[in-house]
């Protein structure tokens, strides 16, 4: 297979096919991100004041200033990304008093996917954003194809549908930079790479509540948006302050999924990095069996393998043999017919007649490479610019394992990416939106 040829051919057809794609609905995670860069002197001062000298016993969520500082120190010291939910309002207030809101940017998997798809040229996108307060609504770009359901049941651009002023949720993104230094207990700590620590305050959405007005209007208009991408599970909790459990929340989402599946919608689950084991288990037990499709990366797949009692050896390293074996096991146990795995260098699609989706995968790969290069979502025209990037050698080797139900696409690699955040969302959403491509080719 000449992959360069394939990418060239498909980049030329991308806009034509996007025109024909059906509508996509995206729920249940749109939020305002507060972006902050790290002020090393301030971080050091706070660590000393609260006597946080290491990140041992890193908690799963933030219930104290010390927990927050441990998470921050973890990312600063290891250069690894970490997201933790804030459990208490007084800690959220403490962060706001000490750091402010930061620069507000649209975030959350659903909103990111909406922007990726709309910028690309998809015509019908319905995104869930709740509560739709003014500060959140105004962060959505002015692209007409992005719609939401307003509380009074209209399908409108988010800017035309907000209700209140006050921001009820914020995800603080503390960016750390390679080479930044702090000194703790006489030891110098040098940040090894650029990354981010995320502290999230999201008491409403963390339940992934589906507002009645959205349910009602979506069910009425489902034929216009017959694909549903579900995401946001990474912000759920095991047990909520009111005693409700994640299992009960998952059942509630499941009954909505049953409703929409009865009416013919196809449901995709975007995994994202769910740190809580109980949340992952509830997702696997309750929602996986109902899903038509799953989007996942190597870290997420290795966790699921472990959860299912399977070996995860080689998965984290992206070894294609290990990945394909694990994908088959997940598919068997959970009964998901389509799994789209992505890692640096290649995508692997497990599905009956997997090759029929190569168009969507190739277009997603070019869009991801272009996004990595320019730092924002590209249009369907613009992805041609990504053709000049080289194909991954690892991916080319991996592609030899392709078989009838396993399609492996080597991807383009951008040597100096401007931005890598949100790439997974771009890859999964474009590929899923084009997954029924053979219907209109
Ligand atoms: P997540 O958002 O799920 O982590 O996925 C990120 C994906 O972005 C990777 O799996 C990889 O396919 C893609 N990617 C990254 Br990270 N860096 C890239 C680069 N420099 N060029 C092209 N794709 C990249």
């Amino acid at each position: 297979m000449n992959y360069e040829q394939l990418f060239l051919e498909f980049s030329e057809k991308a806009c034509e096919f996007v025109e024909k794609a059906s509508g996509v609905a995206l729920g249940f995670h749109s939020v305002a991100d507060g972006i902050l860069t790290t002020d090393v002197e301030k971080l050091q001062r706070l660590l000393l004041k609260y006597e946080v000298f290491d990140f041992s016993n890193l908690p799963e969520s933030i219930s104290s200033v010390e927990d927050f500082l441990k998470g921050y120190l973890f990312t600063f010291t290891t250069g690894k990304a970490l997201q933790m939910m804030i459990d208490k309002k007084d800690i959220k207030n403490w962060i706001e008093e000490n750091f402010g809101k930061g620069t507000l940017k649209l975030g959350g998997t659903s909103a990111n996917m909406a922007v990726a798809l709309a910028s690309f040229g998809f015509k019908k996108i319905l995104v869930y954003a709740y509560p739709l307060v003014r500060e959140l609504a105004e962060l959505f770009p002015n692209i007409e194809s992005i719609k939401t359901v307003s509380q009074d049941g209209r399908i409108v651009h988010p800017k035309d549908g907000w209700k209140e002023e006050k921001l009820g949720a914020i995800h603080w993104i503390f960016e750390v930079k390679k080479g930044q230094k702090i000194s703790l207990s006489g030891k110098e700590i040098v940040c090894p790479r650029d990354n981010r620590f995320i502290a999230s305050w999201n008491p409403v959405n963390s339940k992934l509540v589906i507002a009645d007005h959205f349910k009602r209007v979506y069910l009425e208009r489902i034929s216009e948006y017959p694909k549903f991408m579900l995401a946001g599970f990474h912000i759920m909790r095991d047990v909520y302050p009111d005693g409700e459990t994640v299992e009960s929340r998952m059942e509630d989402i499941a009954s909505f999924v049953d409703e929409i599946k009865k009416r013919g919608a196809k449901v995709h689950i975007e995994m994202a990095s769910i740190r809580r084991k109980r949340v992952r288990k509830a997702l696997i037990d309750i929602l996986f069996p109902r899903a038509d499709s799953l989007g996942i990366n190597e870290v997420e797949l290795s966790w699921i393998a472990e959860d299912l009692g399977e070996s995860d050896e080689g998965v984290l390293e992206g070894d294609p043999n290990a990945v394909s074996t694990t994908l088959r096991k997940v598919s068997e146990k959970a009964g998901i017919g389509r799994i789209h795995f992505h890692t640096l260098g290649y995508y692997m699609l497990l599905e009956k007649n997997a090759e029929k989706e190569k168009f969507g995968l190739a277009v997603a790969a070019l869009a991801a490479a272009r996004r990595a290069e320019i730092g924002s979502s590209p249009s369907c025209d613009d992805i041609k610019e990504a053709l000049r990037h080289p194909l991954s050698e690892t991916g080319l080797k991996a592609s030899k394992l392709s078989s009838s139900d396993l399609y492996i696409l080597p991807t383009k690699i951008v040597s100096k990416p401007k931005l890598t955040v949100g790439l997974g969302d771009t890859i999964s959403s474009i590929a899923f939106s084009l997954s029924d491509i053979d219907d209109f080719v």
Side-chain angles (χ1 to χ4, degrees):
M1 160 69 73
N2 183 336
Y3 290 105
E4 293 291 4
Q5 184 90 32
L6 180 142
F7 276 111
L8 174 65
E9 194 183 315
F10 288 173
S11 69
E12 282 165 357
K13 290 186 178 152
C15 291
E16 178 196 327
F17 288 158
V18 161
E19 239 359 88
K20 298 182 185 163
S22 62
V24 186
L26 306 156
F28 291 96
H29 180 39
S30 303
V31 75
D33 284 339
I35 317 284
L36 287 154
T37 52
T38 293
D39 171 343
V40 278
E41 278 165 25
K42 183 166 170 180
L43 177 61
Q44 177 163 323
R45 196 166 0 101
L46 289 169
L47 289 164
L48 290 175
K49 180 171 170 194
Y50 287 89
E51 300 180 5
V52 173
F53 301 115
D54 58 49
F55 48 83
S56 55
N57 305 320
L58 192 63
E60 282 196 336
S61 56
I62 300 171
S63 312
S64 65
V65 174
E66 287 79 4
D67 292 346
F68 162 76
L69 290 171
K70 274 190 183 183
Y72 202 160
L73 184 59
F74 169 86
T75 295
F76 190 91
T77 308
T78 62
K80 290 191 181 146
L82 176 67
Q83 176 164 18
M84 291 166 89
M85 299 303 293
I86 303 164
D87 289 340
K88 295 190 175 145
K89 190 156 191 185
D90 54 343
I91 307 301
K92 176 248 173 189
N93 291 340
W94 181 90
I95 297 176
E96 192 158 352
E97 276 155 28
N98 281 274
F99 293 93
K101 279 186 186 155
T103 307
L104 291 183
K105 260 183 71 182
L106 187 64
T109 320
S110 307
N112 287 340
M113 287 179 165
V115 174
L117 293 175
S119 308
F120 199 76
F122 287 91
K123 291 283 173 293
K124 279 187 94 66
I125 298 144
L126 188 70
V127 60
Y128 183 77
Y130 181 77
L132 187 58
V133 296
R134 184 184 187 144
E135 267 181 304
L136 174 59
E138 289 189 340
L139 295 175
F140 278 88
N142 286 321
I143 308 179
E144 214 196 308
S145 52
I146 302 180
K147 302 279 194 228
T148 190
V149 180
S150 67
Q151 228 149 301
D152 54 4
R154 289 170 298 136
I155 292 203
V156 290
H157 186 277
K159 284 184 182 159
D160 301 322
W162 59 269
K163 196 141 181 250
E164 282 163 41
E165 299 273 345
K166 215 167 157 286
L167 205 54
I170 181 164
H171 290 201
W172 275 285
I173 315 241
F174 294 91
E175 293 177 339
V176 297
K177 284 241 157 287
K178 182 177 173 175
Q180 283 187 315
K181 290 178 192 151
I182 55 171
S183 162
L184 276 188
S185 326
K187 253 189 22 218
E188 189 177 73
I189 300 171
V190 184
C191 177
R193 56 177 275 210
D194 290 7
N195 218 321
R196 56 203 190 265
F197 167 59
I198 308 178
S200 303
W201 171 250
N202 206 333
V204 183
N205 284 299
S206 66
K207 277 198 172 187
L208 258 63
V209 169
I210 313 170
D212 286 340
H213 64 273
F214 182 87
K215 276 189 198 162
R216 183 175 52 78
V217 174
Y218 179 64
L219 289 174
E220 279 165 20
R221 308 274 294 258
I222 196 162
S223 59
E224 293 171 54
Y225 307 93
K227 294 198 189 85
F228 203 106
M229 300 194 77
L230 272 172
F233 307 101
H234 58 293
I235 66 168
M236 294 183 91
R237 301 173 65 148
D238 296 351
V239 181
Y240 293 87
D242 63 2
E244 189 170 14
T245 61
V246 66
E247 291 79 15
S248 132
R249 293 301 320 135
M250 225 45 108
E251 290 290 354
D252 189 53
I253 301 163
S255 57
F256 173 71
V257 169
D258 289 342
E259 282 291 305
I260 68 175
K261 288 202 66 171
K262 249 196 277 168
R263 290 166 170 80
K266 280 225 159 20
V267 175
H268 172 97
I269 290 179
E270 188 60 21
M271 191 70 200
S273 151
I274 305 170
R275 290 190 69 231
R276 291 182 166 104
K277 234 181 153 74
R278 183 164 163 185
V279 174
R280 286 204 305 269
K281 184 161 172 13
L283 178 68
I284 293 170
D285 291 347
I286 300 168
L287 282 186
F288 271 22
R290 292 169 156 96
D292 300 292
S293 167
L294 176 71
I296 196 163
N297 70 16
E298 69 281 9
V299 179
E300 296 148 18
L301 185 64
S302 75
W303 287 351
I304 292 193
E306 220 186 287
D307 294 340
L308 292 174
E310 300 289 347
S311 160
D312 66 345
E313 211 186 311
V315 173
L316 205 55
E317 296 74 30
D319 167 33
N321 276 306
V323 170
S324 64
T325 308
T326 312
L327 288 182
R328 287 186 193 286
K329 289 201 168 129
V330 173
S331 162
E332 242 165 63
K333 285 200 176 176
I336 304 180
R338 176 188 187 272
I339 308 183
H340 176 186
F341 169 86
H342 61 268
T343 191
L344 187 62
Y346 69 92
Y347 304 158
M348 196 181 275
L349 184 78
L350 180 68
E351 192 184 25
K352 214 160 66 175
N353 303 326
E355 196 179 340
K356 76 176 185 344
E357 281 200 36
K358 64 185 177 201
F359 171 79
L361 296 177
V363 168
L366 291 175
R370 187 66 180 146
R371 182 183 161 96
E373 185 184 4
I374 59 176
S376 61
S377 295
S379 69
C380 54
D381 255 339
D382 199 25
I383 60 169
K384 293 193 192 89
E385 297 295 327
L387 288 170
R388 63 190 156 79
H389 295 294
L391 280 169
S392 155
E393 287 297 327
T394 320
L396 282 166
K397 266 190 224 131
S399 69
K400 304 215 161 63
L401 287 180
S402 285
S403 60
S404 65
D405 67 345
L406 193 76
Y407 183 73
I408 302 169
L409 179 77
T411 56
K412 296 275 179 179
I413 298 287
V414 175
S415 59
K416 287 203 183 89
K418 198 162 175 185
L419 181 107
T420 57
V421 58
L423 285 181
D425 297 345
T426 299
I427 294 164
S428 293
S429 61
I430 293 183
F432 180 64
S433 300
L434 292 172
S435 58
D436 48 2
I437 194 80
D438 52 337
D439 290 350
F440 49 85
V441 167

